[in-house]
Amino acid sequence: MKYQAVIFDLDGVICFTDEYHYLAWKQMADSRGVYFDREINNRLRGASRMETLEIVRERYEGPALSAERKAELAAMKNDIYRESLAQMSPADLSDEVRSTLDGLRGMGLKLAIGSSSKNTPFILRQLGLGSYFDAVSDGNHITRSKPDPAVFLKAAEMLGLAPSVCLVVEDAVSGAQAGHAGGFDVACVGDAAKARAGEYNMDSIKELLAIAGK
C-alpha cells in the first residue's frame, strides 16, 4: 500500500460541531453588540481561536481592545462552546465514520487527528474516541493554524512517519492547502471536495477504504 497512516481533520470530517461554534460566537458577539451572521461564520473554518476573534471583531465599533480583553472574549466563547459540547456523546459519531475508522485500522494503517481546535481531546472523549487514535495533534501543539501545515507535520512526527506515506483527510480548502504545503496527499470531503482541492475528492468518507488500500 502507498499509505501507512491517515490523518483526519476533526470538525466536518470525524464529527460536526460547526453549529455549536456558530451559536457560541453568536452569543458572545451579541453580548458585545457586534454584528455576526452565518456568512461571517463560514470564514472561520480552520482558523485558530484568536484569528477567529479578529474576524468576528471586524464589525466591532467600540474602543480598542487590549490583548487581555481579547483573551477574555475568546475564553468566554470557548466556555459557551464547551458547555454545548457536553451534550455530545458516542451517538454523535456516525456509523459510516465509525466503520471507516475500524476498516482502516483493520488494514494495518495508523490513524491520527490533525485539528486546529484546542478542544480536540475533549471532543474525542465525548465521542468515545479518547484513546482510539495513535496520535492527536491539535491547537495545543501549534502556534500557526491552517493553511500552515504545522498541525499535520506534528501528527506525522508523532507517528514517526514521513508526510509522503500519510494521507490527510479534510473538508476545508484551507486544510487541503495545509496538507499540500506539508507534502501530504489529501483526500477531501464536503466543501473541499466540491472545490476539487485534493488528490482524491470524495462523496463519502467510506471511499477512504478503497483509496488507502491502493
Side-chain angles (χ1 to χ4, degrees):
M1 292 189 296
K2 178 179 180 179
Y3 303 110
Q4 297 178 35
V6 182
I7 303 173
F8 295 87
D9 179 34
L10 184 61
D11 292 350
V13 177
I14 299 296
C15 62
F16 298 89
T17 61
D18 284 356
E19 187 67 10
Y20 294 129
H21 277 294
Y22 168 70
L23 293 174
W25 280 117
K26 177 69 173 169
Q27 184 173 331
M28 190 279 291
D30 287 350
S31 74
R32 309 309 302 167
V34 178
Y35 179 78
F36 184 73
D37 61 17
R38 291 186 183 275
E39 184 174 348
I40 298 172
N41 186 67
N42 288 339
R43 295 170 53 200
L44 309 183
R45 299 178 66 194
S48 70
R49 191 178 303 167
M50 297 310 295
E51 289 170 342
T52 295
L53 180 63
E54 292 304 315
I55 295 172
V56 174
R57 288 182 59 248
E58 288 176 356
R59 298 289 190 95
Y60 174 68
E61 298 178 353
L65 300 178
S66 66
E68 291 78 9
R69 183 54 180 156
K70 290 179 183 179
E72 289 175 2
L73 292 173
M76 178 193 303
K77 178 268 174 181
N78 193 53
D79 288 343
I80 298 168
Y81 175 59
R82 282 180 67 92
E83 286 179 12
S84 64
L85 288 181
Q87 305 169 33
M88 293 186 75
S89 73
D92 290 298
L93 185 67
S94 73
D95 291 339
E96 182 176 77
V97 170
R98 188 186 301 276
S99 64
T100 299
L101 292 174
D102 289 342
L104 293 169
R105 187 173 292 289
M107 294 162 59
L109 291 162
K110 292 185 177 181
L111 305 180
I113 293 290
S115 170
S116 298
S117 173
K118 291 185 176 181
N119 290 300
T120 294
F122 180 75
I123 294 171
L124 291 176
R125 287 195 299 272
Q126 292 299 106
L127 293 173
L129 296 174
S131 59
Y132 186 89
F133 291 92
D134 299 293
V136 175
S137 172
D138 60 27
N140 298 294
H141 299 105
I142 59 171
T143 57
R144 301 181 304 277
S145 57
K146 303 167 187 175
D148 191 283
V151 75
F152 293 135
L153 292 171
K154 184 63 177 179
E157 177 187 330
M158 289 175 166
L159 293 171
L161 295 172
S164 60
V165 296
C166 299
L167 177 66
V168 162
V169 185
E170 264 287 351
D171 72 313
V173 172
S174 62
Q177 292 170 339
H180 289 140
F184 300 86
D185 283 352
V186 182
C188 293
V189 293
D191 290 345
K194 292 175 184 176
R196 314 301 291 176
E199 280 74 24
Y200 312 99
N201 298 289
M202 308 180 293
D203 293 321
S204 168
I205 196 170
K206 64 184 179 183
E207 294 175 38
L208 281 174
L209 296 171
I211 293 168
K214 292 180 178 179

